[in-house]
Amino acid sequence: MEEDARDHFQAAREAAKRGRDPTCADETLALLLGHASRVRPAKVLEIGAGEGFTSIALAAFAGAEVTAVEKDAARAQAMRENLLRYPPSPGSVSLLEGDAGEILPRLNGAFDLIFLDGPKVQYRRYFADCKRLLKGGGTLVSDDVLLRGWVRGDPPKKRRMLVRHLREFLDLLEGDGDFQTQYFEYGEGVAVSVKRT
Ligand SMILES: C[S@@+](CC[C@H](N)C(=O)[O-])C[C@H]1O[C@@H](n2cnc3c(N)ncnc32)[C@H](O)[C@@H]1O
């Protein structure tokens, strides 16, 4: 990406951090890019791609081939526009527009890195497909899993259902002997889970 486009990209990311369903925290993006620069993942899957900032960064700055799933039509359109504005190499990002709950079971292929950042109440439902789609030795990065400490503590009443779903997801993750998980307190909490080879 040219320097000018890179500056615009950063500014657009800043704006996308302030919106509803924001783009991931800077530390989370740095974690993804740092991981990608070490491991050089050939194939990345992003679930809940929003306006495409993280997919574009992974393709443009880490040379990954990204498959991005996004359900919301307006966000998918914004992502297409961002792909034209901040083009990574041609064909490096494929957008699958639709519900991840329907798309994931039909997806094949072995991904080196999966960034799970879609609807939090569905993480536990997506877990089996994430495991199936992840290569041995691959990494699942799940965003927003600690929710201001509520998932490990005492959530406000209106957040209890969401917290219960996230706890069920973390129970699946931690109870699965094929994964080794580490947590980072970035943004709303990130789980980094490596699948055994
Ligand atoms: C936190 S935002 C994603 C931000 C993005 N990962 C980034 O870092 O820029 C969550 C996204 O998940 C999308 N989403 C919600 N439900 C979905 C579903 N069932 N399938 C696919 N995407 C969904 C939302 O429309 C929203 O864009």
Side-chain angles (χ1 to χ4, degrees):
M1 203 183 286
E2 302 284 326
E3 208 174 307
D4 249 19
R6 198 181 271 243
D7 289 346
H8 274 128
F9 181 78
Q10 292 301 358
R13 261 198 94 247
E14 284 305 313
K17 277 196 269 175
R18 293 189 292 271
R20 199 177 142 255
D21 269 342
T23 192
C24 68
D26 290 346
E27 298 95 325
T28 308
L29 182 61
L31 180 148
L32 287 164
L33 291 175
H35 175 83
S37 69
R38 281 192 307 280
V39 175
R40 291 272 152 211
K43 282 171 61 101
V44 175
L45 173 64
E46 182 178 14
I47 302 167
E51 294 163 295
F53 291 106
T54 302
S55 285
I56 292 171
L58 282 162
F61 307 140
E65 185 192 304
V66 183
T67 300
V69 181
E70 174 54 49
K71 180 179 179 189
D72 183 79
R75 292 187 144 232
Q77 181 54 27
M79 176 165 178
R80 284 186 204 98
E81 288 164 17
N82 281 332
L83 280 164
L84 295 175
R85 239 177 248 134
Y86 317 108
S89 55
S92 56
V93 178
S94 316
L95 169 61
L96 304 177
E97 185 180 337
D99 185 343
E102 290 168 17
I103 290 174
L104 296 180
R106 298 200 308 260
L107 262 188
N108 284 310
F111 292 89
D112 305 280
L113 173 65
I114 298 180
F115 182 41
L116 177 55
D117 195 21
K120 314 309 160 205
V121 290
Q122 301 293 349
Y123 278 17
R124 55 186 193 144
R125 194 173 142 219
Y126 298 162
F127 178 69
D129 280 314
C130 287
K131 182 173 179 183
R132 176 181 62 83
L133 291 165
L134 195 62
K135 263 189 188 161
T139 302
L140 170 65
V141 176
S142 311
D143 204 11
D144 305 321
V145 292
L146 299 178
L147 279 186
R148 302 176 190 196
W150 294 333
V151 172
R152 299 294 193 214
D154 194 16
K157 203 169 175 188
K158 67 176 185 188
R159 292 292 177 190
R160 280 192 195 144
M161 195 187 77
L162 174 56
V163 163
R164 182 165 53 78
H165 288 303
L166 278 170
R167 283 181 183 150
E168 284 174 22
F169 169 69
L170 295 183
D171 284 349
L172 282 174
L173 199 54
E174 290 169 9
D176 189 316
D178 288 336
F179 281 98
Q180 196 144 31
T181 298
Q182 238 187 313
Y183 292 93
F184 294 86
E185 308 246 335
Y186 302 152
E188 301 278 8
V190 182
V192 177
S193 312
V194 178
K195 186 178 166 185
R196 289 184 210 286
T197 45

